[in-house]
């Protein structure tokens, strides 16, 4: 089957099944082999080496579509199946546009539009993709492995919560303006042994800095959408410039982290389980199999927003 993936998370999952797409989106970068495939989308927004505030300003100035689909190249690739998404209007080509483009092709490919809104939805999509591309057995095997890993985190989290309680947790997927991560992130915080009440029960949404300060999280994870670990550290600098950042309990307790949002949290693929394991390490480092510092996608940050030199968890809260 010839599959075109317009969604990074779907591309990751297809490769996990041993299925190489005939074409991908410009954002598909994992595994590295995905970068070598024909690109079917583009964007008018320049993300390269741009700050969170600059990218936000560009998004606000766009008059028309943020993403474009190369229908000519798509037609030349003759896909049997197009995989896209309907979850986020600012993350990929609009699902309606993809369906319309598919109908203009001859023959018209099938369209699988993924729309996960919870952690369970994202893992269930592993099976949906597998079934759609004739890899149901591989999908079931991967889903079973993921379930075992999730159960292992859940068991560790139960022990950690019994010992330490649930830390008030804040996960941000943008910094200028601050945006609290929604969809599957609330579920992940709860599974990882945190208090998820700060996260929206729905899509990601802007949050006033005053509300972040009022929540006074005991653990803070900043995972800007599309940013790798180093750019996430830079983005934390945006927050550090705001009044009261160094007074947040998470910052004072050395439980503030910059996270590779591009590889963790942002994409609802099977790698969300990697994200769950990393989040548990951030919330309960004393109970984690490996500390957050052992994960090269996570950096602990200091009171000035810079990357901290070494892990140091203080039990006194001060």
């Amino acid at each position: 089957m010839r599959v075109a993936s317009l969604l990074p998370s779907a591309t990751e999952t297809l490769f996990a099944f041993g299925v190489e797409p005939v074409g991908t989106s410009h954002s598909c970068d994992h595994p590295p082999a995905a970068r070598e495939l024909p690109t079917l989308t583009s964007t008018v927004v320049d993300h390269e080496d741009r700050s969170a505030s600059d990218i936000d300003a560009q998004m606000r100035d766009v008059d028309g579509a943020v993403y474009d689909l190369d229908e000519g190249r798509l037609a030349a690739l003759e896909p049997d199946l197009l995989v896209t998404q309907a979850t986020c209007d600012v993350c990929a080509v609009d699902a309606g546009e993809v369906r319309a483009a598919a109908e203009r092709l001859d023959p018209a490919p099938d369209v699988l539009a993924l729309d996960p809104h919870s952690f369970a939805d994202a893992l269930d999509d592993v099976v949906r993709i597998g079934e759609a591309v004739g890899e149901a057995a591989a999908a079931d095997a991967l889903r079973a492995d993921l379930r075992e890993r999730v159960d292992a985190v859940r068991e560790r989290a139960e022990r950690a919560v019994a010992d330490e309680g649930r830390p008030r947790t804040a996960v941000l997927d943008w910094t200028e303006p601050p945006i609290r991560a929604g969809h599957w992130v609330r579920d992940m915080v709860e599974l990882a042994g945190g208090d998820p009440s700060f996260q929206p029960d729905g899509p990601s949404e802007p949050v006033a800095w005053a509300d972040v300060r009022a929540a006074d999280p005991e653990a803070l994870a900043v995972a800007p959408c599309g940013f790798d670990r180093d750019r996430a550290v830079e983005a934390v600098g945006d927050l550090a410039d705001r009044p009261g950042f160094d007074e947040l309990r998470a910052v004072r307790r050395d439980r503030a982290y910059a996270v590779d949002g591009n590889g963790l949290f942002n994409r609802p693929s099977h790698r969300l389980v990697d994200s769950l394991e990393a989040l548990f390490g951030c919330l309960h480092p004393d109970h984690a199999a490996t500390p957050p510092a052992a994960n090269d996608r996570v950096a602990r940050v200091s009171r000035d927003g810079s990357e901290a030199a070494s892990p140091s968890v203080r039990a006194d809260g001060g």
Side-chain angles (χ1 to χ4, degrees):
M1 176 179 286
R2 296 177 63 80
V3 184
S5 173
L6 306 182
L7 186 60
S9 60
T11 298
E12 297 175 5
T13 302
L14 289 167
F15 270 96
F17 298 151
V19 176
E20 182 174 296
V22 296
T24 64
S25 79
H26 65 282
S27 299
C28 293
D29 57 9
H30 183 84
R35 301 172 184 171
E36 307 302 320
L37 300 176
T39 302
L40 297 169
T41 66
S42 60
T43 179
V44 297
V45 176
D46 181 10
H47 294 81
E48 192 70 23
D49 297 325
R50 300 292 184 134
S51 68
S53 58
D54 188 9
I55 293 172
D56 180 69
Q58 289 184 65
M59 293 289 288
R60 293 176 184 277
D61 287 343
V62 172
D63 183 13
V66 175
Y67 302 97
D68 292 318
L69 176 63
D70 189 334
E71 291 191 36
R73 176 172 285 187
L74 179 64
L77 292 174
E78 299 181 333
D80 303 303
L81 175 69
L82 272 175
V83 185
T84 186
Q85 63 91 40
T87 304
C88 177
D89 293 337
V90 299
C91 293
V93 178
D94 179 80
E97 182 181 340
V98 174
R99 292 186 185 280
E103 292 174 357
R104 289 191 286 268
L105 299 181
D106 186 18
D110 292 330
V111 176
L112 175 61
L114 305 176
D115 190 20
H117 292 276
S118 68
F119 185 71
D121 288 347
L123 299 191
D124 287 346
D125 278 348
V126 169
V127 176
R128 291 186 64 202
I129 295 171
E131 292 175 344
V133 300
E135 295 290 344
D140 287 342
L142 178 57
R143 184 68 178 86
D145 176 68
L146 298 175
R147 187 177 294 111
E148 288 183 6
R149 291 170 60 191
V150 171
D151 287 344
V153 172
R154 182 184 288 109
E155 291 172 5
R156 284 181 177 272
E158 288 175 353
R159 293 194 293 269
V161 169
D163 288 346
E164 304 173 344
R166 289 184 177 272
R168 295 190 307 277
T169 302
V171 181
L172 301 179
D173 60 19
W174 204 247
T175 55
E176 286 289 339
I179 296 179
R180 50 185 164 189
H183 296 304
W184 45 85
V185 173
R186 185 182 178 95
D187 299 337
M188 291 169 59
V189 171
E190 185 162 14
L191 281 168
D195 176 352
S197 58
F198 179 80
Q199 310 305 138
D201 187 13
S204 298
E205 63 182 21
V207 58
W209 179 246
D211 292 335
V212 178
R213 292 187 64 183
D216 193 19
E218 296 169 293
L220 171 67
V222 181
C225 188
F227 280 21
D228 63 16
R229 176 183 178 276
D230 291 342
R231 292 183 72 189
V233 172
E234 294 175 1
V236 173
D238 296 335
L239 300 180
D241 290 338
R242 292 176 177 268
F245 174 81
D246 60 352
E247 298 172 3
L248 295 177
R249 189 176 298 253
V251 177
R252 291 188 288 112
R253 296 181 67 231
D254 296 331
R255 295 284 180 89
Y257 303 93
V259 181
D260 175 1
N262 193 52
L264 301 174
F265 289 99
N266 301 159
R267 297 179 179 180
S269 74
H270 60 287
R271 291 204 297 161
L272 273 187
V273 177
D274 296 349
S275 307
L276 176 65
E277 292 167 342
L279 180 62
F280 175 66
C282 293
L283 302 188
H284 297 285
D286 294 339
H287 289 263
T290 56
N295 190 323
D296 61 6
R297 296 183 182 276
V298 178
R300 192 174 59 84
V301 292
S302 301
R303 297 189 181 201
D304 62 359
S306 63
E307 182 175 351
S310 61
S312 173
V313 177
R314 297 162 61 183
D316 62 2

